[in-house]
Amino acid sequence: MANQLSRLDQVFAALADPTRRAIVMRLCAGEASVGELADPFDMALPSFMKHIHVLETSGLVLSEKSGRVRTCRLSPDALVGAEDWFQQQRAIWEARLDRFEAYVMKLKKERAAAKRPSRTTRKKGAE
Amino acid sequence: MANQLSRLDQVFAALADPTRRAIVMRLCAGEASVGELADPFDMALPSFMKHIHVLETSGLVLSEKSGRVRTCRLSPDALVGAEDWFQQQRAIWEARLDRFEAYVMKLKKERAAAKRPSRTTRKKGAE
DNA sequence: CCTATAGTTAGCTTCATGGCTAACCAATTG
DNA sequence: CAATTGGTTAGCCATGAAGCTAACTATAGG
């Protein structure tokens, strides 16, 4: 009975660590071996490998071993999946802003109507 | 001597939890009180409040208390900041793909030239 | 064949996270 | 004023994450 973490959970958790974000950024520029990836970091290899593993199980990174060197590359799918999430939220958010703006416009119109009682039918109860 | 977590760290960590993502999604649709937010979740209030707090310190959510009710709303800035990160990575990734494609095109051209040795100046060393 | 290289496994610490209960304010409301 | 409602504080516990060292495996190179 596994915990069944959702893919998004794993992707965001993976990206919450600066080391792992740096790895992803590095891999955006092209594939690399574990050693090359680890080089800039002041960290023991086993610790570093854990980060690689987290990235792999999140689906952000793929790797395969040939001979004694493991080569890693980015799998853009997971990255795009996460980006989509933001865009969906933004769409909802902006739809709401639009509705809000429309509401403000309606208020303005009503206030203008209240200020200038002549000419148009007077609304009752308007302050 | 604080750990000085970066803003991105905190935002991604906040979004790595399904409860917190649900809260953010809910808040995209408009502000709400803590009680309203907590209602759909089968969780003790103090536990839920921790999630709210995480969202607040990540900068994703703002809240203020009036009377005895605390109202929460989304602060889109942090969300946009995270989205930007994806877009930057994608830009690098796509630039690389373009370069790769250009490289393939060049290969194709060279191979075609090798296959048809007449007509144009023959390049030396082409396989 | 021997040695150095590139990863890997195992096992240990430490600290953060996510959940709980119980008790505690502080505004509303009857 | 008394009781309810809405949130908060304090403190506990279990789990998982992030780091380390030490020892091991398996290729590549001399």
Side-chain angles (χ1 to χ4, degrees):
Chain A
M1 304 313 171
N3 208 346
Q4 188 69 350
L5 259 338
S6 98
R7 177 52 51 106
L8 263 189
D9 286 24
Q10 297 185 70
V11 169
F12 282 131
L15 294 177
D17 183 284
T19 301
R20 290 194 290 260
R21 277 203 308 282
I23 295 174
V24 168
M25 292 169 76
R26 169 59 240 275
L27 288 180
C28 271
E31 56 182 38
S33 73
V34 169
E36 286 167 359
L37 289 173
D39 192 52
F41 298 96
D42 185 19
M43 188 183 294
L45 242 230
S47 317
F48 187 80
M49 284 295 294
K50 279 196 188 173
H51 288 297
I52 298 281
H53 191 245
V54 169
L55 287 169
E56 266 192 283
T57 60
S58 79
L60 282 165
V61 164
L62 302 174
S63 79
E64 60 192 319
K65 196 165 178 176
S66 120
R68 65 182 167 178
V69 41
R70 173 173 299 277
T71 304
C72 304
R73 62 195 171 80
L74 205 65
S75 158
D77 302 10
L79 213 50
V80 168
E83 198 181 356
D84 283 352
W85 186 85
F86 283 97
Q87 288 171 359
Q88 285 170 29
Q89 298 325 305
R90 196 153 50 83
I92 297 172
W93 168 264
E94 282 171 0
R96 188 175 81 82
L97 274 202
D98 287 353
R99 265 184 285 126
F100 180 69
E101 197 166 292
Y103 170 70
V104 169
M105 290 302 275
K106 187 180 142 217
L107 276 194
K108 259 190 194 157
K109 220 171 272 179
E110 287 181 5
R111 180 158 332 173
K115 255 203 159 160
R116 154 177 49 68
S118 55
R119 192 77 140 260
T120 45
T121 320
R122 182 65 179 286
K123 288 201 182 73
K124 69 164 203 270
E127 202 283 282
Chain B
M1 302 312 175
N3 207 345
Q4 189 69 351
L5 260 336
S6 97
R7 179 50 54 104
L8 262 191
D9 286 25
Q10 297 186 69
V11 169
F12 281 131
L15 294 178
D17 183 284
T19 301
R20 290 194 290 260
R21 277 202 310 281
I23 296 173
V24 168
M25 292 169 76
R26 168 59 240 277
L27 289 180
C28 271
E31 56 182 38
S33 73
V34 170
E36 284 167 359
L37 288 173
D39 192 52
F41 298 96
D42 186 18
M43 187 181 296
L45 243 230
S47 315
F48 187 80
M49 284 295 295
K50 278 195 189 173
H51 288 297
I52 298 281
H53 191 246
V54 169
L55 287 168
E56 266 193 284
T57 59
S58 78
L60 282 165
V61 163
L62 303 174
S63 79
E64 59 192 319
K65 195 163 180 177
S66 120
R68 66 183 166 178
V69 41
R70 173 172 299 277
T71 303
C72 304
R73 62 197 171 80
L74 205 65
S75 158
D77 302 10
L79 214 49
V80 168
E83 198 180 357
D84 284 352
W85 187 85
F86 282 98
Q87 288 171 0
Q88 285 170 29
Q89 299 324 305
R90 195 152 52 82
I92 297 173
W93 168 264
E94 282 171 359
R96 188 175 80 82
L97 274 201
D98 287 352
R99 265 184 285 126
F100 180 69
E101 197 167 293
Y103 170 70
V104 169
M105 291 301 275
K106 188 181 143 217
L107 276 195
K108 260 191 195 159
K109 220 171 270 180
E110 286 181 4
R111 180 159 331 174
K115 258 205 158 162
R116 156 177 47 71
S118 55
R119 193 77 141 257
T120 44
T121 320
R122 182 63 179 284
K123 288 198 182 74
K124 67 162 205 267
E127 205 278 284

